[in-house]
Amino acid sequence: MLALSSLIEPLRSVNRLCGEDRYRWVVTSTQKGPVSASNGLEIKATHDLDALPEADLTIIVASLGLEHFAGAKLLSHIRWLRRQNRMFGAISNGTVLLAQAGVLEARKVTVHWETLEPSLRLTRTCKSAPKCSK
């Protein structure tokens, strides 16, 4: 929820301050309807992956419980974005889903420290950077 809000709220503020909709967003999921956040609140996905509107940018957002998100349909859609040369990215643990889809190709990314070890288990090509020392 925090990652999604931190993405949307600055855009909403720009729209309000400018008095016009310069930015628009659509919440999608593998299935249309309510999506539960890790805090228990629900967000309504207005589209599923089979009926997406055209977008300039797609951001993959995921939190805890990645094993529930990484279905073949979502990973296939991420690979499709890559094949179509669409602009996409990820925040929070969405980077792990990009790695699972095989679209990172030796790029350096970050994941939440709480999910580092599970993330490494979920992907075959990721490596952990050395730990920082003080």
Side-chain angles (χ1 to χ4, degrees), residues 2 56 111:
L2 182 60
D56 294 327
V111 295

Side-chain angles (χ1 to χ4, degrees), residues 2 14 30 37 40 56 61 67 74 82 86 88 123 130:
L2 182 60
V14 168
T30 53
D56 294 327
V61 181
E67 62 278 2
L74 176 58
R82 177 63 182 264
R86 301 287 176 98
F88 65 94
T123 61

